[in-house]
Amino acid sequence: MNRALSTLGIVAANELSDSIRSRRVIVMLLLYLAGAMGATALFITFLHSIEGQLVTTLGLDAPKDAGSVTATLWKSKPFRDLLSHLIGEKKLAETLLDVPPLALFYGWLSCAFTPLLVMLTASARISEEIASGSIRFILFRAGRAPWLLGKFAGQAAQLFVALILSALGAWLVGWFRMSGYEGWATAYHMLWFAVKAWIFSLPFLGLALGISQLCALPNLALAFGFMALVGVSVLTGLSNWLAGDGWRRIWDLVNVITPGAHRQSLWWSDAEHLLPATVFLLTLAAVYLFAGYARFARRDL
């Protein structure tokens, strides 16, 4: 057991150092940072435009900076009642209305696009080593399961750093471009959403590495990874649409085994919702990862 854990740690550290040497991790960090900052800047520009139209309609002077009108509107009772009605769950709506708007946007952004970026950066990681033949020398000294878990841990660590960095980048954009900026509250919620997005991304990381174990060509693994991402997303939508009474309850089961079914629970702040969602997502990550390992363990490399 101790040897397996030692192997896992060594492989995870090597995965990080290899990514740094190859500049892969730098590209990954820049991708997340630029994406978050660019999307946040566009959101603030759009917000400023909407606020300008709103105050013009009311016959008021247009605001110089984005955020001033939104901050007032966000705290008004009619607006809060409207959002509670639209969301459907009053307690969840009240929880989200206590979050600064920019942090809420970052939470949506990170959960929406991180799975796509995970597939882009992780789908070919194992297949690259299979294709080059370097995996033969590594597995001569390490068990396949600890090696696989080490690769997963190394990729998960990189992903965590990338998401934290993206949250800081988005926060800085808001700091410079929004008036009445709730700096500390926004920073807290953005970092918390980054952690939640990381948890949500782990099943997709497991899926990417699970597929990567089955392919000898990196490009093929990348293609199958994106196909799997689309398939999982479609299953989530179909199961929500088709679920019902009788035999249609089977779609509830299909829904449970897709990561998207647990995303809404991550919007809550209480342990009653977060803990079950986290357990389900970690379980799905393991299932997806070891589904590929079932073939990888017997594969002649």
Side-chain angles (χ1 to χ4, degrees), residues 11-33:
V11 173
N14 286 339
E15 179 71 9
L16 289 172
S17 62
D18 179 62
S19 295
I20 293 172
R21 281 195 306 270
S22 65
R23 295 187 175 86
R24 185 184 296 110
V25 70
I26 297 175
V27 173
M28 179 183 182
L29 293 177
L30 289 176
L31 188 65
Y32 277 72
L33 179 62

Short mmCIF file of all heavy atoms in Angstrom, two decimals, residues 11-33:
data_model
loop_
_atom_site.label_atom_id
_atom_site.label_comp_id
_atom_site.label_asym_id
_atom_site.label_seq_id
_atom_site.Cartn_x
_atom_site.Cartn_y
_atom_site.Cartn_z
N VAL A 11 4.62 9.81 -9.63
CA VAL A 11 4.06 9.99 -10.97
C VAL A 11 3.37 11.35 -11.08
O VAL A 11 3.51 12.05 -12.09
CB VAL A 11 3.07 8.86 -11.32
CG1 VAL A 11 2.35 9.15 -12.64
CG2 VAL A 11 3.80 7.52 -11.41
N ALA A 12 2.63 11.74 -10.03
CA ALA A 12 1.95 13.04 -10.05
C ALA A 12 2.97 14.18 -10.14
O ALA A 12 2.79 15.14 -10.90
CB ALA A 12 1.09 13.20 -8.80
N ALA A 13 4.05 14.07 -9.35
CA ALA A 13 5.10 15.10 -9.40
C ALA A 13 5.78 15.13 -10.76
O ALA A 13 6.07 16.21 -11.30
CB ALA A 13 6.12 14.84 -8.29
N ASN A 14 6.02 13.96 -11.33
CA ASN A 14 6.64 13.90 -12.67
C ASN A 14 5.72 14.48 -13.73
O ASN A 14 6.19 15.09 -14.70
CB ASN A 14 7.00 12.45 -13.01
CG ASN A 14 8.22 11.96 -12.25
OD1 ASN A 14 9.01 12.76 -11.76
ND2 ASN A 14 8.36 10.66 -12.13
N GLU A 15 4.43 14.25 -13.57
CA GLU A 15 3.46 14.81 -14.53
C GLU A 15 3.52 16.34 -14.50
O GLU A 15 3.50 17.00 -15.55
CB GLU A 15 2.06 14.33 -14.18
CG GLU A 15 0.95 14.86 -15.07
CD GLU A 15 0.96 14.28 -16.47
OE1 GLU A 15 1.73 13.33 -16.74
OE2 GLU A 15 0.20 14.78 -17.32
N LEU A 16 3.63 16.89 -13.31
CA LEU A 16 3.72 18.35 -13.18
C LEU A 16 5.04 18.87 -13.77
O LEU A 16 5.05 19.86 -14.52
CB LEU A 16 3.61 18.75 -11.71
CG LEU A 16 2.22 18.60 -11.07
CD1 LEU A 16 2.31 18.84 -9.57
CD2 LEU A 16 1.22 19.56 -11.69
N SER A 17 6.14 18.21 -13.41
CA SER A 17 7.44 18.68 -13.90
C SER A 17 7.55 18.52 -15.41
O SER A 17 8.13 19.37 -16.10
CB SER A 17 8.57 17.92 -13.20
OG SER A 17 8.50 16.53 -13.48
N ASP A 18 6.99 17.44 -15.96
CA ASP A 18 7.01 17.24 -17.40
C ASP A 18 6.19 18.30 -18.12
O ASP A 18 6.59 18.79 -19.18
CB ASP A 18 6.47 15.84 -17.74
CG ASP A 18 6.46 15.57 -19.24
OD1 ASP A 18 7.53 15.58 -19.86
OD2 ASP A 18 5.36 15.36 -19.80
N SER A 19 5.07 18.68 -17.53
CA SER A 19 4.23 19.72 -18.13
C SER A 19 4.94 21.07 -18.11
O SER A 19 4.82 21.87 -19.03
CB SER A 19 2.90 19.83 -17.38
OG SER A 19 2.14 18.65 -17.54
N ILE A 20 5.72 21.32 -17.04
CA ILE A 20 6.46 22.58 -16.95
C ILE A 20 7.60 22.60 -17.97
O ILE A 20 7.82 23.61 -18.65
CB ILE A 20 7.00 22.76 -15.52
CG1 ILE A 20 5.84 22.97 -14.54
CG2 ILE A 20 7.96 23.96 -15.46
CD1 ILE A 20 6.25 22.97 -13.08
N ARG A 21 8.32 21.46 -18.08
CA ARG A 21 9.43 21.41 -19.04
C ARG A 21 8.95 21.58 -20.47
O ARG A 21 9.60 22.24 -21.28
CB ARG A 21 10.16 20.06 -18.91
CG ARG A 21 11.11 19.95 -17.74
CD ARG A 21 12.03 18.76 -17.92
NE ARG A 21 11.29 17.53 -18.14
CZ ARG A 21 10.90 16.72 -17.18
NH1 ARG A 21 11.16 17.02 -15.91
NH2 ARG A 21 10.23 15.61 -17.44
N SER A 22 7.81 20.98 -20.79
CA SER A 22 7.29 21.05 -22.15
C SER A 22 6.48 22.32 -22.41
O SER A 22 5.95 22.51 -23.50
CB SER A 22 6.41 19.83 -22.44
OG SER A 22 5.26 19.83 -21.61
N ARG A 23 6.34 23.16 -21.37
CA ARG A 23 5.56 24.40 -21.42
C ARG A 23 4.06 24.13 -21.61
O ARG A 23 3.30 25.05 -21.90
CB ARG A 23 6.07 25.33 -22.54
CG ARG A 23 7.48 25.84 -22.32
CD ARG A 23 7.85 26.87 -23.37
NE ARG A 23 9.16 27.44 -23.10
CZ ARG A 23 10.30 26.92 -23.50
NH1 ARG A 23 10.29 25.79 -24.20
NH2 ARG A 23 11.45 27.49 -23.22
N ARG A 24 3.66 22.87 -21.45
CA ARG A 24 2.25 22.55 -21.59
C ARG A 24 1.42 23.23 -20.51
O ARG A 24 0.33 23.75 -20.76
CB ARG A 24 2.06 21.02 -21.52
CG ARG A 24 0.61 20.57 -21.77
CD ARG A 24 0.45 19.08 -21.60
NE ARG A 24 1.22 18.33 -22.57
CZ ARG A 24 2.31 17.61 -22.28
NH1 ARG A 24 2.75 17.56 -21.04
NH2 ARG A 24 2.95 16.96 -23.21
N VAL A 25 1.94 23.21 -19.29
CA VAL A 25 1.20 23.82 -18.19
C VAL A 25 1.11 25.33 -18.36
O VAL A 25 0.11 25.96 -17.99
CB VAL A 25 1.84 23.45 -16.83
CG1 VAL A 25 3.19 24.13 -16.64
CG2 VAL A 25 0.90 23.81 -15.69
N ILE A 26 2.16 25.95 -18.95
CA ILE A 26 2.12 27.40 -19.18
C ILE A 26 1.03 27.76 -20.18
O ILE A 26 0.27 28.71 -20.00
CB ILE A 26 3.50 27.89 -19.67
CG1 ILE A 26 4.55 27.64 -18.59
CG2 ILE A 26 3.44 29.37 -20.04
CD1 ILE A 26 5.96 27.97 -19.01
N VAL A 27 0.95 26.96 -21.24
CA VAL A 27 -0.10 27.17 -22.24
C VAL A 27 -1.48 27.00 -21.61
O VAL A 27 -2.41 27.78 -21.86
CB VAL A 27 0.07 26.19 -23.42
CG1 VAL A 27 -1.12 26.29 -24.38
CG2 VAL A 27 1.36 26.49 -24.17
N MET A 28 -1.60 25.98 -20.74
CA MET A 28 -2.87 25.72 -20.07
C MET A 28 -3.27 26.89 -19.17
O MET A 28 -4.41 27.35 -19.20
CB MET A 28 -2.75 24.44 -19.24
CG MET A 28 -4.00 24.06 -18.47
SD MET A 28 -3.70 22.57 -17.47
CE MET A 28 -5.32 22.35 -16.74
N LEU A 29 -2.32 27.39 -18.38
CA LEU A 29 -2.61 28.50 -17.48
C LEU A 29 -2.99 29.75 -18.26
O LEU A 29 -3.93 30.47 -17.90
CB LEU A 29 -1.40 28.78 -16.59
CG LEU A 29 -1.04 27.70 -15.57
CD1 LEU A 29 0.22 28.10 -14.81
CD2 LEU A 29 -2.18 27.43 -14.60
N LEU A 30 -2.27 30.02 -19.33
CA LEU A 30 -2.58 31.19 -20.16
C LEU A 30 -3.94 31.05 -20.82
O LEU A 30 -4.68 32.04 -20.97
CB LEU A 30 -1.49 31.40 -21.21
CG LEU A 30 -0.13 31.88 -20.70
CD1 LEU A 30 0.88 31.95 -21.84
CD2 LEU A 30 -0.25 33.24 -20.03
N LEU A 31 -4.29 29.84 -21.22
CA LEU A 31 -5.58 29.59 -21.85
C LEU A 31 -6.73 29.90 -20.89
O LEU A 31 -7.69 30.60 -21.23
CB LEU A 31 -5.65 28.14 -22.32
CG LEU A 31 -6.84 27.72 -23.17
CD1 LEU A 31 -6.83 28.46 -24.51
CD2 LEU A 31 -6.81 26.22 -23.42
N TYR A 32 -6.61 29.41 -19.67
CA TYR A 32 -7.64 29.66 -18.67
C TYR A 32 -7.69 31.12 -18.27
O TYR A 32 -8.77 31.72 -18.14
CB TYR A 32 -7.39 28.80 -17.43
CG TYR A 32 -7.90 27.38 -17.54
CD1 TYR A 32 -7.28 26.45 -18.35
CD2 TYR A 32 -9.03 26.96 -16.82
CE1 TYR A 32 -7.74 25.15 -18.46
CE2 TYR A 32 -9.50 25.67 -16.92
CZ TYR A 32 -8.85 24.76 -17.74
OH TYR A 32 -9.31 23.48 -17.85
N LEU A 33 -6.51 31.73 -18.07
CA LEU A 33 -6.44 33.12 -17.64
C LEU A 33 -7.00 34.05 -18.72
O LEU A 33 -7.84 34.92 -18.43
CB LEU A 33 -5.00 33.49 -17.32
CG LEU A 33 -4.75 34.93 -16.88
CD1 LEU A 33 -5.50 35.23 -15.59
CD2 LEU A 33 -3.26 35.19 -16.69
#
